[in-house]
Amino acid sequence: MTVLTVLLSLAAGAYLIAMLEGWAVHGRLQPARPVISALALLGRESLLARKPDRLFFEVGPVLLLVAGLLAVAVIPLAPGIIVTDLATGALFLNAALAYVLVALIMAGWGPNGAYGMIGGWRFLGQFVAYAMLVVMPITAVALRAESLSTVDIVMSQSALWNIAYQPLGFALFIAAAMGLCWLPPLDLPTAPGDLAGGIEAEYTGVRLAVLRLARMVVILALAGATVTFYLGGWLGPWLPGWAWSGVKILIVAGVMVSAGRLVPRVREARYLELSWKLGIPLALANIFVVGVIALVVPI
Amino acid sequence: MILELMIALTAGAAMFGTGLYGALSQTNLVMIIMGVELILAAALVNLVAFWRYLHPEEPAAQMFVLIIMAVMAVEMTVGFGIAIARFRSRGSVEMEEARELKG
Amino acid sequence: MNFLALTLLAPLLSGLTILALRRAPEALALAGAVLGLIGAVGLFIAASDGTVQAVLPGLPDMPLRLVATPLTAVLALVVATVAGFVLTYATGYMAGDPEKARFFGTMLLFVTAMQGLVLAGDWIMLLAAWEMIGFASYLLIGFWHGRAGVASAATRAFLYTRSADLGLYLGAFLLIGVAGTSEISGTLAITGAPALIAGLFLLVAAMGKSAQVPLQDWLQRAMAGPTPVSALLHSATLVAAGAILLIRTAPMLPGGALLAIGIVGGLTAVITGLIALAERDLKRLLAASTASQYGLMLVAIGAGVPIAALLHLIAHAAIKSSLFLGAGVFQHDREGTGLDTLAGAGRARPGIFAGFAIAALALAGIPPLAAFFSKDAIIAAALASTAAPWLLPLALAGSVLTGTYMGRALKVLWTGEAGPARTPVPFMAIGMSVLVALAAGLGFSFGALEHVLGAEIEKPGWIVPVIGLAVGIGGLALGWFFAPARLLGPLLAPAQNGFTVAGGMDGLILRPSLSIAAACEAFEQRLLAAQIGLIRNLGLGAARLVDRGDGQLFKFSIWIGQQSLRLGRGTRSMDTNRIDVAIFGLVRRITAASTRARRLQSGLIHRELALTVIGIGLIVIVLLTAPHYF
Amino acid sequence: MTVQMIFLVFFGGAAVWFGIVVFRTHSMVRSALALLFSQTAVGLMFLVMQAEFLGVLQIMMMATEMSVMAIFMVMFMMDPGGMGAMDMTHQKRLSLWAGGIGLAAALAVIWLADWGPIGTDIPGAAQQTADLGRELLGRSMFIFQSVGLTILTAMVAATMVAIAPAKEQPK
């Protein structure tokens, strides 16, 4: 039952995010837009590259979707509504997100296209940096909750949300999240400018629809993760638990999606340099600070 | 119960065998490293199997698994460091060409 | 304390910068001199109410001391003033000279050394400064080393003063040894025999430096240096060193030493006075007159009143330097300082001649001017001293002679037709006029000076000034109206060549030492020849001996060669057919084994990897089976 | 118990199968990703054996590691796409024998040895992770820190070796 509710809320969320992204990209809020584009995609002929690596070509988008779903599985929308409350939930979420990378490599390598391949390997180069920037803030959050399970993490934020408790961690997590689901300021794998669609260049028809849907799910998963870790999940004064987490997820997703309009795309080397030389040290510092505060401040 | 242990260990042994074959038979250094990775994975499987079925209450076994993971990571890093150096100087990492140590 | 440093360091630094930069030497020199003067004035004011002392780290328990008692401060002031104005004069005088930088640099170094000597508080500092001024005078005298005779004059001056300095060394070391401390004031308390001996040694040093009788020859020859040098060194400072030394050690000197000093001083005064009278060159005349004036000072010291000597020293410094500067101007006009060439030069330059005349009259002892007071003090001291019968006539004769040669100099300069007046000489004029003013006006300051030095001279009655005046005017009149030949008569010839007794210094010392050196040279040559001969026949005998032994040796080695040949043949045969066979066989087998082993070392990574795996397998087998069997 | 066994067999088989695929495929990226999936299968085996933390960790680690390996494969191999189907092996007979003997020896040990009593009380996942944490930072802190240090030195050494010497860098 909870799985069904989670999937439904996921579908609704994906729809709303698609609408938001449409609005962010085209400037006009057209509620029906996602449905139309989805149908259009399904209707189109699905082309195949000349000598593709068929296995990867097919599995890429599906693996991306699976990764997104696995990640969502661990996010608690309300005290009861969580697919599997693993003892190592936070780590599991991260493990799932790691497979976004594998999926993108497959999607990039599969169609035997230059732009796709470059997009895939470029994402690999960055992912090593994101992984650090995702895992370390999570460690800090787990440090405070003294347990890896996402439900305990949310419960630990009842007194003070983690965004106030460890803002640095939040900032790093958000930056890494933006990179992980390659939203505009960091959309290097599918950079429309220089890679002409990158990963999505070779895909058409159903596979492209699956790829886009999978991307939406990943965005939602990351938004959900940010909410659980930093914005106190379902905690909130008046509304019931699930409403709060729904609203929060949507807000965070909306912010993530619309951030692309403000900031120009970050260059590959620049981003790498920033995350390795600046991000990781800051993340380590964040863990240290949270460790000290956790020892000293009783809340 | 004993059967699961046997299955896990046989899986480990099988991976060890393939890894060994791969490490010895491949001409390319990278493939050899992958062979070694497989052997180490086999070791991991055996370790967890021993932990799960023989000494579940003993955390040291799990700690040792982490050590083996670290070994895998280190082995890969250094392996590829040398591979890059060799590739840069010799142009290829084919083991056939590495005759410098000839006695 | 900083005035002390300023007096010493200002000239030193400017000298060094001039030598280093070799640019704008006049400006730097004047700056250094003026600063030194200011320092000296400040020092004098500071010292007038209490001695200023500076202790510098020197030898382990003998630190170098600079002490500015009123006495030394006055001397420092004199040196600084004379140096300042001589340097201003020198800027004009050396205008055309290409090596001005070297000149001014050495002059300033000399001034520093002189200030060091004057202010020295301990014997070692005094010794060092003494040597420095000797060296600086050598450099300055030999400044135009290109010209003929200048270099020899400089070396001669140097040798004279150096040999005399031995006296200073012996005296100083004796004093330090006996007193135990190197501080001059400390050593003054010594009495008895050591004091007498030290006193005599110091007298010898003073005679050398102040060109007293036996050693006066170098001063005339030192005139070969440029006139500012003679003005500064050979009138006020360097030559004064001897007198200063005796003045400062006067309290320690016992009666005998004082008598000796007095007699030496008197004799010098008379003899150099005669030489000055007989001189044919204006600068040599002034040099001889310097020696005679210092003779008078020694007479004053001998008479037991060092203060009179000090006053006369100060007056003489101003007078003689202005005389020299005047002579320098005339030298510029007439390109030479011979009296016959300078005849009438004074008439061509009335201003300069007026200054020259004032200074000359001052020296002769005409009342309002400076030397009158100091000369009176000397005559009074000679009169009042115990050894009056010895000292008084010599002092009087000395002052008469001073008057005569000054009168003769004036007469020569004034009579004779005036040559063309050359270009104006501003700097020279300024330098000279100030010194002349000093020469004139110093006398009045002597009273205040005595009060500062704390040693009042009891004013003699009316007798001494009258005698002094008579002597002065008499001398001048004699000089002006009677030619020297008539005055000296028989003494003219010897006086002209400096009363050289038995060939003079050259004869007495130079030639004998050279001949001794030649004799030693000859002896040494013969010695060398003898040695070579000895070695030669020794070597030949040994060689014959060795030759015979070598013959036998040769025969013996031939024999041994044959034996070894036979032995060699035997071993070769044994070796070839038995041992080689065995070795080569072994070698073949080893190479065969190694080629097989080499295949093992194929260098192929994967082959080696396989070998390692096989190795591990063997190890595992051994590990598993071993526990069962052993 | 049987469910666990079935999953164990399934994932064990998957791990071995992907292991074999690694060396049989000609496309290098495929062999790298095959290794990736074999490692993930091993991670899943850990999950099946209720070592949850280790399983998740293995899955997460291997994803990144093996993709890095993939990129190295592409860099170094002559024909990464595997289009030319080159046979990249040598001394096949010897390595086959070595692999076979190794396998046989391992199997012999597994099946013949008497493993003693099977542990029953498996601590919960949270408890396991907590124990592991305390173990790592408690009793075997020294080992854990030295491993950390070795990784650091390895990283430094590898980069040092990999950095081109000064003269070779392209001006």
Side-chain angles (χ1 to χ4, degrees):
Chain A
M1 211 325 258
T2 51
V3 169
L4 196 61
T5 46
V6 164
L7 282 178
L8 275 176
S9 57
L10 194 64
Y15 184 79
L16 287 172
I17 297 292
M19 198 168 60
L20 270 176
E21 188 159 25
W23 179 45
V25 168
H26 303 293
R28 284 200 319 289
L29 188 62
Q30 297 148 319
R33 183 162 189 70
V35 172
I36 300 160
S37 62
L39 289 177
L41 279 176
L42 294 176
R44 282 206 191 89
E45 176 212 10
S46 62
L47 303 170
L48 263 179
R50 224 175 330 85
K51 286 172 72 70
D53 187 331
R54 201 57 198 284
L55 178 69
F56 289 164
F57 189 65
E58 303 300 345
V59 165
V62 171
L63 181 61
L64 190 63
L65 183 60
V66 162
L69 290 173
L70 284 177
V72 165
V74 176
I75 295 163
L77 300 178
I81 309 171
I82 180 167
V83 175
T84 54
D85 178 11
L86 288 171
T88 57
L91 205 61
F92 183 79
L93 177 116
N94 202 307
L97 291 180
Y99 281 82
V100 165
L101 164 70
V102 177
L104 273 188
I105 291 178
M106 286 188 181
W109 181 262
N112 192 6
Y115 287 126
M117 192 183 77
I118 295 172
W121 295 131
R122 183 184 280 184
F123 188 75
L124 163 76
Q126 287 147 32
F127 183 82
V128 178
Y130 302 157
M132 300 280 193
L133 284 180
V134 166
V135 171
M136 289 182 191
I138 291 177
T139 353
V141 162
L143 196 75
R144 183 189 182 207
E146 282 152 22
S147 118
L148 276 168
S149 112
T150 43
V151 173
D152 292 357
I153 289 174
V154 169
M155 293 312 288
S156 75
Q157 295 173 43
S158 49
L160 175 71
W161 286 1
N162 263 340
I163 183 163
Y165 196 91
Q166 43 190 303
L168 180 59
F170 172 74
L172 290 173
F173 189 81
I174 277 289
M178 298 285 287
L180 215 73
C181 51
W182 70 94
L183 282 168
L186 302 169
D187 58 353
L188 291 148
T190 59
D194 49 6
L195 284 183
I199 306 280
E200 292 160 358
E202 307 293 337
Y203 280 95
T204 55
V206 177
R207 293 185 194 85
L208 187 58
V210 167
L211 195 66
R212 290 250 169 86
L213 176 65
R215 181 156 172 263
M216 290 305 152
V217 168
V218 167
I219 293 170
L220 265 177
L222 281 167
T226 346
V227 164
T228 27
F229 290 137
Y230 288 95
L231 298 172
W234 64 78
L235 299 173
W238 306 295
L239 290 176
W242 55 269
W244 265 117
S245 55
V247 162
K248 285 182 195 169
I249 289 175
L250 280 181
I251 292 168
V252 167
V255 163
M256 278 164 74
V257 162
S258 58
R261 292 161 54 91
L262 313 169
V263 180
R265 182 178 310 114
V266 176
R267 215 159 40 76
E268 155 102 354
R270 185 88 188 90
Y271 179 77
L272 267 186
E273 190 197 338
L274 268 180
S275 58
W276 276 102
K277 289 187 181 166
L278 187 69
I280 290 170
L282 280 180
L284 288 172
N286 173 40
I287 296 174
F288 176 73
V289 162
V290 165
V292 166
I293 298 175
L295 280 175
V296 167
V297 178
I299 53 172
Chain B
M1 259 308 256
I2 194 78
L3 199 54
E4 277 94 356
L5 178 60
M6 294 304 163
I7 295 165
L9 293 181
T10 21
M15 286 176 72
F16 172 73
T18 20
L20 193 59
Y21 163 75
L24 293 183
S25 68
Q26 290 300 334
T27 54
N28 194 307
L29 175 63
V30 180
M31 294 303 282
I32 293 172
I33 293 180
M34 288 172 72
V36 170
E37 291 287 326
L38 257 177
I39 294 172
L40 286 169
L44 278 180
V45 167
N46 290 357
L47 265 172
V48 172
F50 288 141
W51 169 78
R52 166 64 179 74
Y53 295 111
L54 298 180
H55 309 286
E57 76 300 338
E58 177 57 53
Q62 298 210 340
M63 179 272 290
F64 202 67
V65 168
L66 287 185
I67 307 287
I68 298 295
M69 279 189 190
V71 165
M72 283 170 82
V74 166
E75 184 262 343
M76 223 178 86
T77 336
V78 176
F80 283 128
I82 296 168
I84 292 174
R86 180 166 173 79
F87 189 79
R88 196 185 298 283
S89 61
R90 292 289 183 279
S92 92
V93 272
E94 285 312 313
M95 284 306 111
E96 297 288 334
E97 293 155 5
R99 287 191 182 284
E100 288 83 5
L101 294 174
K102 188 165 181 46
Chain C
M1 171 47 184
N2 41 32
F3 286 121
L4 202 64
L6 193 62
T7 30
L8 267 170
L9 287 184
L12 177 67
L13 286 179
S14 56
L16 288 178
T17 34
I18 293 172
L19 285 176
L21 295 180
R22 292 201 181 265
R23 223 182 306 297
E26 297 91 348
L28 277 171
L30 285 182
V34 163
L35 280 176
L37 185 58
I38 294 163
V41 167
L43 190 64
F44 178 64
I45 296 162
S48 55
D49 43 29
T51 61
V52 174
Q53 173 132 34
V55 179
L56 308 174
L59 300 174
D61 54 2
M62 294 184 198
L64 299 175
R65 281 192 185 70
L66 286 173
V67 67
T69 60
L71 174 70
T72 53
V74 161
L75 289 171
L77 185 59
V78 162
V79 168
T81 36
V82 173
F85 296 111
V86 163
L87 281 173
T88 40
Y89 174 89
T91 48
Y93 185 85
M94 300 299 283
D97 196 299
E99 293 184 78
K100 279 188 291 196
R102 180 160 65 88
F103 173 76
F104 281 104
T106 359
M107 280 288 269
L108 280 164
L109 290 185
F110 166 78
V111 168
T112 331
M114 193 57 206
Q115 294 287 23
L117 174 91
V118 162
L119 294 171
D122 67 302
W123 282 108
I124 291 153
M125 181 74 164
L126 189 104
L127 269 175
W130 192 277
E131 293 308 334
M132 281 283 290
I133 56 176
F135 171 62
S137 89
Y138 167 75
L139 281 179
L140 287 167
I141 296 170
F143 180 69
W144 287 321
H145 45 74
R147 297 190 188 165
V150 168
S152 74
T155 22
R156 183 185 291 273
F158 189 70
L159 284 180
Y160 269 98
T161 45
R162 281 299 292 156
S163 45
D165 291 351
L166 280 183
L168 178 64
Y169 277 98
L170 294 175
F173 290 151
L174 183 65
L175 285 176
I176 295 175
V178 168
T181 140
S182 71
E183 199 176 348
I184 295 179
S185 53
T187 54
L188 296 186
I190 300 170
T191 55
L196 180 64
I197 297 162
L200 290 178
F201 279 141
L202 293 181
L203 171 59
V204 166
M207 280 157 66
K209 200 56 97 179
S210 305
Q212 295 309 302
V213 159
L215 307 171
Q216 89 291 356
D217 180 36
W218 70 274
L219 192 56
Q220 275 88 5
R221 292 180 194 282
M223 290 309 118
T227 315
V229 170
S230 352
L232 177 61
L233 272 80
H234 303 124
S235 64
T237 50
L238 183 109
V239 186
I244 291 167
L245 175 67
L246 292 180
I247 291 169
R248 289 189 62 177
T249 54
M252 181 265 290
L253 299 174
L258 286 178
L259 182 63
I261 293 170
I263 289 163
V264 164
L267 279 177
T268 326
V270 171
I271 289 171
T272 45
L274 290 174
I275 293 171
L277 194 59
E279 274 302 341
R280 283 183 298 280
D281 177 303
L282 180 59
K283 280 180 73 177
R284 291 174 72 93
L285 180 140
L286 292 176
S289 104
T290 313
S292 79
Q293 294 311 319
Y294 277 92
L296 286 176
M297 286 177 212
L298 260 66
V299 162
I301 297 169
V305 182
I307 298 307
L310 179 67
L311 295 183
H312 191 55
L313 184 138
I314 296 164
H316 174 267
I319 294 163
K320 191 48 68 53
S321 49
S322 44
L323 283 174
F324 266 111
L325 296 187
V329 170
F330 297 139
Q331 180 189 12
H332 247 284
D333 288 354
R334 295 293 179 85
E335 292 311 328
T337 56
L339 282 178
D340 35 22
T341 53
L342 289 181
R347 197 183 292 274
R349 282 196 181 277
I352 303 291
F353 181 74
F356 191 87
I358 292 166
L361 294 178
L363 189 63
I366 304 308
L369 304 176
F372 168 74
F373 300 97
S374 60
K375 200 160 280 209
D376 273 4
I378 292 175
I379 292 169
L383 189 68
S385 84
T386 54
W390 295 96
L391 297 182
L392 188 59
L394 289 173
L396 287 178
S399 32
V400 166
L401 282 169
T402 325
T404 42
Y405 56 71
M406 274 301 122
R408 176 165 171 265
L410 288 176
K411 177 171 182 301
V412 161
L413 285 173
W414 186 254
T415 58
E417 84 299 332
R422 283 289 183 78
T423 58
V425 276
F427 279 101
M428 296 167 130
I430 297 162
M432 184 176 170
S433 51
V434 171
L435 282 172
V436 162
L438 273 176
L442 265 181
F444 304 107
S445 71
F446 280 168
L449 205 60
E450 278 160 30
H451 168 63
V452 160
L453 296 175
E456 298 304 330
I457 309 172
E458 80 291 351
K459 286 286 169 274
W462 55 271
I463 289 288
V464 175
V466 163
I467 299 171
L469 190 62
V471 156
I473 295 168
L476 279 171
L478 278 172
W480 185 274
F481 295 109
F482 298 94
R486 295 248 318 286
L487 283 173
L488 289 171
L491 288 177
L492 184 65
Q496 265 160 359
N497 47 39
F499 289 105
T500 51
V501 172
M505 202 47 80
D506 300 357
L508 284 177
I509 294 174
L510 209 59
R511 262 192 289 299
S513 51
L514 283 178
S515 56
I516 292 165
C520 301
E521 175 70 17
F523 172 70
E524 208 237 339
Q525 289 300 351
R526 267 204 310 284
L527 205 68
L528 193 65
Q531 272 170 351
I532 292 169
L534 186 68
I535 294 164
R536 192 165 42 74
N537 39 38
L538 264 178
L540 283 178
R544 259 190 302 282
L545 205 70
V546 161
D547 178 41
R548 265 203 307 281
D550 173 55
Q552 272 102 16
L553 210 67
F554 179 68
K555 277 202 287 300
F556 177 67
S557 58
I558 295 280
W559 179 73
I560 288 190
Q562 283 135 4
Q563 301 314 330
S564 54
L565 270 180
R566 237 185 319 94
L567 193 68
R569 267 193 297 280
T571 44
R572 183 156 46 79
S573 62
M574 201 270 278
D575 168 53
T576 46
N577 38 40
R578 263 190 302 290
I579 300 172
D580 282 2
V581 164
I583 294 168
F584 282 124
L586 190 66
V587 162
R588 258 198 312 287
R589 271 192 296 283
I590 292 172
T591 39
S594 66
T595 40
R596 275 199 304 282
R598 207 153 57 73
R599 265 205 300 283
L600 216 60
Q601 298 284 341
S602 68
L604 283 171
I605 304 283
H606 50 88
R607 175 91 22 89
E608 255 130 49
L609 204 56
L611 289 174
T612 30
V613 163
I614 295 163
I616 294 168
L618 287 177
I619 293 168
V620 163
I621 292 162
V622 164
L623 281 176
L624 290 179
T625 54
H628 297 297
Y629 294 109
F630 306 116
Chain D
M1 255 333 111
T2 56
V3 169
Q4 196 180 34
M5 196 169 68
I6 294 163
F7 270 118
L8 208 58
V9 163
F10 176 68
F11 288 132
V16 171
W17 164 250
F18 280 118
I20 294 165
V21 161
V22 163
F23 295 111
R24 268 203 24 262
T25 56
H26 299 298
S27 146
M28 291 309 128
V29 177
R30 263 198 187 185
S31 77
L33 289 179
L35 181 63
L36 185 142
F37 287 120
S38 118
Q39 300 288 2
T40 327
V42 163
L44 292 170
M45 275 167 73
F46 292 169
L47 287 179
V48 163
M49 289 194 255
Q50 290 159 345
E52 191 179 316
F53 177 74
L54 292 180
V56 169
L57 195 64
Q58 169 77 352
I59 293 169
M60 185 180 88
M61 270 261 296
M62 285 313 145
T64 351
E65 233 178 276
M66 290 316 143
S67 15
V68 167
M69 186 171 286
I71 187 131
F72 273 107
M73 300 280 285
V74 168
M75 265 164 56
F76 290 146
M77 305 302 265
M78 275 92 76
D79 160 26
M83 306 289 186
M86 293 191 320
D87 171 14
M88 301 277 289
T89 55
H90 53 78
Q91 65 179 3
K92 280 168 85 78
R93 215 163 50 74
L94 180 123
S95 37
L96 257 173
W97 267 100
I101 293 167
L103 179 66
L107 286 176
V109 164
I110 296 166
W111 291 97
L112 301 179
D114 154 27
W115 292 108
I118 299 292
T120 49
D121 52 355
I122 317 294
Q127 179 54 30
Q128 271 177 37
T129 342
D131 290 351
L132 179 59
R134 279 192 203 85
E135 167 71 24
L136 282 180
L137 295 172
R139 204 168 63 83
S140 45
M141 155 83 107
F142 179 65
I143 301 171
F144 184 53
Q145 298 306 348
S146 57
V147 159
L149 200 64
T150 354
I151 295 182
L152 175 66
T153 27
M155 272 164 37
V156 170
T159 26
M160 282 301 293
V161 165
I163 289 174
K167 58 178 173 22
E168 275 184 39
Q169 259 137 1
K171 289 295 166 295

